Amino acid sequence: MSLLRTLGTVLARRSPLARSPSRTVVKCLSSDAASQQQGASGPSSLHAKFPGALEASFVTTPKLALPESIEPIPIYRVMNSEGVIDDPSQEPNLEQATVQKMFRDMVLLNTMDKILYESQRQGRISFYMTNFGEEASHIGSAAALSPEDWVYGQYREAGVLVWRGFTISDFINQCYGNAEDQGKGRQMPVHYGSRKLNFVTISSPLGTQIPQAAGAAYAFKLQPNNQRCVITYFGEGAASEGDTHAAFNFAATLDSPVIFFCRNNGFAISTPSREQYRGDGIAGRAAGYGMAALRFDGTDVFATYNATKLAREYVLRENKPIVLEAMAYRIGHHSTSDDSTAYRPAEELEVWNTVEHPIAKLKHYMLRRGWFDEAKENEFVKSVRKQVLSQINQSERILKPDWREMFQDVYAEMPAHLKEQLRAMEEHVEQHREHYPLKDFKQ
Amino acid sequence: MNVLQKLVSTGVKTLPRNGLVRHSSHFVYQPDAKAPVEGPTQKMNMFQAINQAMDIALEQNESALVFGEDVAFGGVFRCSMGLQKKYGKQRVFNTPLCEQGIAGFAIGVANTGAKAIAEMQFADYIFPAFDQIVNEAAKYRYRSGNLYDCGSLTFRAPCGAVGHGACYHSQSPEAYFAHTPGLKVVVPRGPNKAKGLLLACVKDNDPCIVFEPKTLYRAAVEEVPVAAFESPIGKADILRSGTDITLVGWGTQIHVLQEVANMAKTQLDVSCEVIDLVSILPWDKETICNSVKKTGRVLIAHEAPLTNGFGAELAATIQEECFLHLESPVLRVTGWDTPFPHVFEPFYIPDKHRCLAGIRKLINY
């Protein structure tokens, strides 16, 4: 970004032309182009030689590239809201057991969300974010990936973890920040991570994970016999961050096998997408970066599955990135700190919560296939509720980590100044024990 | 060749004779007294030493990558000369012009365990990457409970006064980063230190930033061991022993302080102990405080502005640790609390005259 560098380049490029009066140069160029166009000697002769756009041709009349003239990228859908497959060739032909797992994982996530949301309302955990309405985009994409693929998420992708085997106790222990939390109680609830499941720990700053995913994918690409890609999830709001621009451009220019998975749920907290961007969503940006793109119905678990599978094959075969845009609707509030009725009508929700609901759609599909057993599924929901409630009781009772963990992992090894601070706090706590909640922490 | 770099390359030796003053010569480079390790040495300047360090890092670690703006052709300061040719376009490459992207990409590379050596073209342009460095890189290991880290990344950034760099080619932003737990920040004073510190940072398991005083790239020449070696992070160097006052600085300022120590000896008969802090975070409290306890006086000098500069951290700690030993207040001679100016640079920098005046004040206190 050095101005001097830029100026230096400009000056260097200009110097050969500087000898002849610039007006003459312009005249020459334009008449040259005009005569070539008149000559109509094929499109190649119209091509300019500017290094910044080698494929572009000259024209003699100005034509604004208007956003209105760009056809919106269509939304790929496999099944309709009745669970009917529109085009049989798009049936992913998944086994009953796989579809069953998809359904149950979505139900599990949905059930857990409801209870943890309520538990925050009761003040039992400090914060929560639900995944209502986006369950299919998590499960469908996770099912199409290899468990070895790395996932960089935003915070509303808990379903990916459900699919990969993060347990109810893993989730709830993290929300409580107790001694069983792999993150050692250092981050807010829903900031999950798992080394075992190749799910990189969530952080709050939006968009930061996206260029990181591009970097990780690049590093994997250089490993011999790499069969691993990287997927990064983010909302359409996060796509406005500078980091998203950075990531798209880096991945495209450096050929990173990364899947950019945008969850476009229409809202970034209270901001509707029409105040977030004016272009054709997020997928519409891909072409500007020289990337492939695919937009699909994110409430359709099969469309998500097919799209992600296709994307995975593409990025690993071509060593190139792709933008996926899952269209959905954020049915829940942004978080437990948000009341979405303050900025959107309740009626709008209704349709997304019923006919267009991802779980309802898959249920219809399963009913058609004769794979749905009402009694069994009710039993499943009941058992999940029971597990979640009992885990909440259990997680609540597990002590928090030793408070000294506060000083660990800042660095790989604790430097001298931190050791001193730890010692100072130990002495202080020893002398003022009654003022600290020591009984809640492991010793 | 970069405009600024070309100016730098004309260097301190070729002072114009038309009466114009070349302000990049506010210091006289003082080579290290002895090589950091045994073995054959080679005379080189700082950019050559850095180049050799990166060469070694790429050679030793198959996963190591070198990238940034314009590094492929050798870098605007020549630090990555010849590396792409030797290691290929996959491992030494240009990125798009976007610092937050460079930092984020580097973190991702490091998440996988591969070594990332990323360049910010000027330290002045590191701020777009501030979020990635402060919120992400520094906190990765901590926030994940050590499940993930980016310890294998190193950022390099040319910093400091260069004579005519003005607001955006002169800054010394070390204090911003010193306030960030999880980072390591170092500043070399010359070729040996630059090579040793860079190799130490590449090997280190925490994210590191090396701020390289750009005015030293060509001006600093000394004998450097050809072999790989590391200079410890977190360790200050006592470059000159003294009994009356401790002078603390880092980077280019060390050479100013060395000259000031000579002036203090001859003009004031004051014996100065000169310490190169080397490592800003973590910093070597023991070495500094032991010296101050011995001399009873301390002057801290840095190019960055006074208020909340890293000197403030040193001063506060020194008064806490050495209160009964101090014979005079802790004095900071630094850049002023203004942006770094163009034509006023000679009045801005904490040059030898301001430092010497500071010593006089402390001795007479």
Side-chain angles (χ1 to χ4, degrees), chain B residues 26 161 245 247 253 256-257 259-261 263-264 267-268 298-307 331-341 344-363:
Chain B
H26 74 281
I245 185 168
L247 310 182
Q253 194 64 23
V256 176
L257 292 178
E259 197 179 345
V260 167
M263 291 161 78
Q267 296 180 29
L268 311 172
V298 59
L299 181 148
I300 302 156
H302 57 66
E303 287 179 12
L306 177 76
T307 300
L331 185 66
R332 291 171 288 157
V333 180
T334 69
W336 304 115
D337 286 343
T338 69
F340 199 110
F344 308 123
E345 180 169 323
F347 301 94
Y348 175 88
I349 50 172
D351 65 4
K352 59 188 176 190
H353 309 294
R354 282 177 59 203
C355 290
L356 187 67
I359 292 174
R360 193 178 281 119
K361 192 170 149 189
L362 291 182
I363 293 295

Side-chain angles (χ1 to χ4, degrees), chain A residues 5 22 35 58 70 78 81 100 129 140 157-158 190 206 238 266 285 301 304 349 367 375 387 405 411 424:
Chain A
R5 191 190 69 95
S22 60
S35 65
F58 280 116
I70 296 168
V78 172
S81 52
Q100 194 83 30
M129 302 178 102
E157 295 90 12
V190 312
L206 285 184
R285 294 178 195 168
V301 73
T304 309
L349 275 178
L367 279 167
Q387 276 182 68
E405 281 289 349
Y411 295 91

Side-chain angles (χ1 to χ4, degrees), chain A residues 1-5 8 150 152 182-184 186-187 193-195 198-203 205 208 211-212 214-216 218-222 242-243 246 249-250 253-254 256 405-406 408-412 415 417 420, chain B residues 2-4 65 69-70 76 89-90 93-102 104-105 107-109 111-112 121-122 125 131-132 135-136 140-148 169 181-184 205-206 281-282 285:
Chain A
M1 210 162 81
S2 162
L3 177 65
L4 286 180
R5 191 190 69 95
W150 270 31
Y152 283 82
Q182 290 192 59
K184 304 184 186 173
R186 292 180 185 137
Q187 287 210 88
S194 172
R195 186 81 204 182
N198 294 311
F199 190 98
V200 181
T201 304
I202 299 293
S203 73
T208 47
Q212 293 168 13
Y218 187 91
F220 286 139
K221 180 182 78 168
L222 298 194
D243 279 315
N249 203 26
F250 274 56
T253 55
L254 297 170
S256 282
E405 281 289 349
M406 176 167 73
Q408 300 288 344
D409 301 327
V410 179
Y411 295 91
H417 69 282
E420 269 177 41
Chain B
N2 177 303
V3 173
L4 180 55
L65 306 176
E69 296 158 14
D70 304 294
V76 298
K89 288 180 176 175
Q90 302 266 48
F93 53 91
N94 288 338
T95 66
L97 211 164
C98 180
E99 285 75 14
Q100 67 193 102
I102 294 170
F105 191 88
I107 292 169
V109 168
N111 287 155
T112 71
Q121 200 160 69
F122 286 84
Y125 308 127
D131 183 45
Q132 282 285 357
N135 274 331
E136 294 291 318
Y140 233 104
R141 187 188 299 278
Y142 187 78
R143 70 157 190 242
S144 69
N146 203 18
L147 294 179
Y148 290 90
H169 297 83
L183 296 179
K184 291 184 177 173
N205 288 322
D206 295 305
L281 183 67
K285 187 166 92 174

